[in-house]
Each structure stands twice: as C-alpha cells, then as structure tokens.
Amino acid sequence: MIRTRIVELSTIDAIAYRQKLRGGRSGVVIQRFDTDQPGLATLSRNDGSPDIAPSTPPNLYPVEAFAEAFALTTGLPYTARGRVKLSARVETPDEIEETVEEAATVNSAEYAAVVAAYTDRNGALSYDLLNKDFIQFAKSSNHVARMVSEKASVEAILGHVVRAKLEFLTGNRNLSDAEVDAIVAMLDAVSPRNVFKTVTDEIRKMLAR
C-alpha cells in the first residue's frame, strides 16, 4: 500500500493517513481504535471539502475528523508500506489500489532524493522550498534565458527546468520521460494544488517581460 505516515487525530479517537486511490486520486483513510470499520474520503476539487465515501458511517467518522485528517497529512510524502492493523481484522476500502509503477516510484532512490531535498522540519514536503529552488535555477540558467528570448512555450521551459533539476537532485542524468512523469505525479499527489504552480507563474512573468 502506498500511503503517508500515520497521524493521530484529536477530533475522534483514531489515526489517519493519506492513501493512493483508484484512478490516481488521493484520499484519507481514518481508523478508529474501537472498530474494524475504516473511513475513507477524497478531497473535493470543487470547494476543497472532504468528499466522504458512501460506505463510511457518518456516526463513526464525522466530516470534522476528515477535515483534521486532511490538514495533518497535507504535504506528507508517500511511502510504500503495508496495511495498517489496529485490531484482529481491518477491512481495506475497495477504492484503495496500489500499482506496480507507483510502488516502484516511491521506493526509488530518485523520489527519495527529491523528498529529502525539500522536506521541512515537520517532515512535510515543502512546495515553497521546492518552487523557490526551481525558480532560482530558472533565473540563473543560460539555457532558460535563451528559451525565454526565443519565446519558447511555458510548457517547454517548465519541462526543461523540471528535468534539469531532477537530474541534478538525483544524480541520474539518464532519467526517462516516464520516470520524470512518475516522480512529478507522486510529488503532485502530496498536495491538492499543482506542485509547480509558483514556478510556472514565474516562467510566465519571464516571458512577458
């Protein structure tokens, strides 16, 4: 199972962790200490509120508990770990699914190197640290300056910046497009917003000057 580290909730007597779901979505699993029945919710893309699975009993898992769980797990990087068991039998929600590609990504030295570079004191992946570093690279790169002067697309410049930084951070100059995409997808899944939103906005500013 691909999930984040476990956090303890104060809203109810339970633990929670972020989990990969079917279709590439990210959700939060809550497990109470007094029942085998877990609760599951995804984050609504419309208003950012918890979208609780129909199979989750609301009397055991109120929306406030999911709101706290999402807040505590936002920014935590994924890791490939086994099923959480707090009692003799814990049913895993049907929506949860692990793929071989995702497991390989979170277990890779490349993903670990990127996470280590931008993890803050709380153990969360800092988008601010990541974007500041990527922006600094973009502004100091002669190749990026040339691409800007030639009015390359935002996507092309961002693609170069991301690949160059990932190759530097991982020490792997032979990353395939699939490996780059997989790392970016796992980084992007950590938080509900686009991992490279800030650096993308800065590239647009560079092109507009």
Side-chain angles (χ1 to χ4, degrees):
M1 293 295 177
I2 299 170
R3 60 181 176 82
T4 62
R5 74 163 185 258
I6 294 171
V7 297
E8 190 168 356
L9 303 182
S10 60
T11 312
I12 60 175
D13 193 18
I15 57 93
Y17 51 93
R18 192 72 66 94
Q19 183 74 60
K20 291 294 289 182
L21 306 178
R22 294 181 186 276
R25 295 179 301 154
S26 175
V28 158
V29 178
I30 299 179
Q31 180 62 58
R32 293 178 62 107
F33 293 103
D34 57 359
T35 179
D36 290 342
Q37 174 66 46
L40 173 67
T42 57
L43 195 64
S44 171
R45 295 185 180 275
N46 295 325
D47 57 10
S49 63
D51 187 5
I52 303 175
S55 59
T56 298
N59 60 314
L60 296 178
Y61 298 101
V63 66
E64 293 80 9
F66 282 107
E68 180 186 13
F70 273 109
L72 292 177
T73 58
T74 293
L76 297 181
Y78 283 104
T79 181
R81 302 166 70 179
R83 182 178 299 181
V84 175
K85 293 184 179 180
L86 299 182
S87 57
R89 180 179 61 84
V90 174
E91 296 293 338
T92 301
D94 292 338
E95 293 91 339
I96 293 176
E97 180 182 67
E98 174 187 18
T99 67
V100 174
E101 181 181 0
E102 287 170 339
T105 301
V106 298
N107 282 327
S108 72
E110 288 79 11
Y111 179 75
V114 176
V115 168
Y118 303 115
T119 297
D120 63 21
R121 295 178 180 179
N122 297 319
L125 184 65
S126 172
Y127 278 21
D128 288 338
L129 289 176
L130 186 151
N131 277 274
K132 286 179 181 177
D133 191 33
F134 276 52
I135 289 172
Q136 184 178 15
F137 169 78
K139 289 183 175 180
S140 63
S141 169
N142 291 332
H143 186 75
V144 170
R146 185 164 57 252
M147 294 181 75
V148 170
S149 68
E150 295 172 352
K151 298 299 181 182
S153 68
V154 173
E155 292 74 18
I157 297 173
L158 179 63
H160 169 74
V161 171
V162 170
R163 171 172 287 280
K165 283 300 300 182
L166 290 183
E167 288 179 349
F168 173 78
L169 290 166
T170 64
N172 184 353
R173 304 291 181 179
N174 298 307
L175 287 172
S176 67
D177 291 342
E179 288 172 321
V180 171
D181 290 345
I183 293 172
V184 170
M186 291 304 298
L187 294 174
D188 202 36
V190 168
S191 184
R193 62 189 178 90
N194 189 311
V195 64
F196 296 119
K197 183 181 186 305
T198 305
V199 67
T200 301
D201 290 343
E202 186 60 35
I203 290 173
R204 290 195 178 98
K205 292 178 183 178
M206 294 169 68
L207 286 167
R209 291 179 187 136

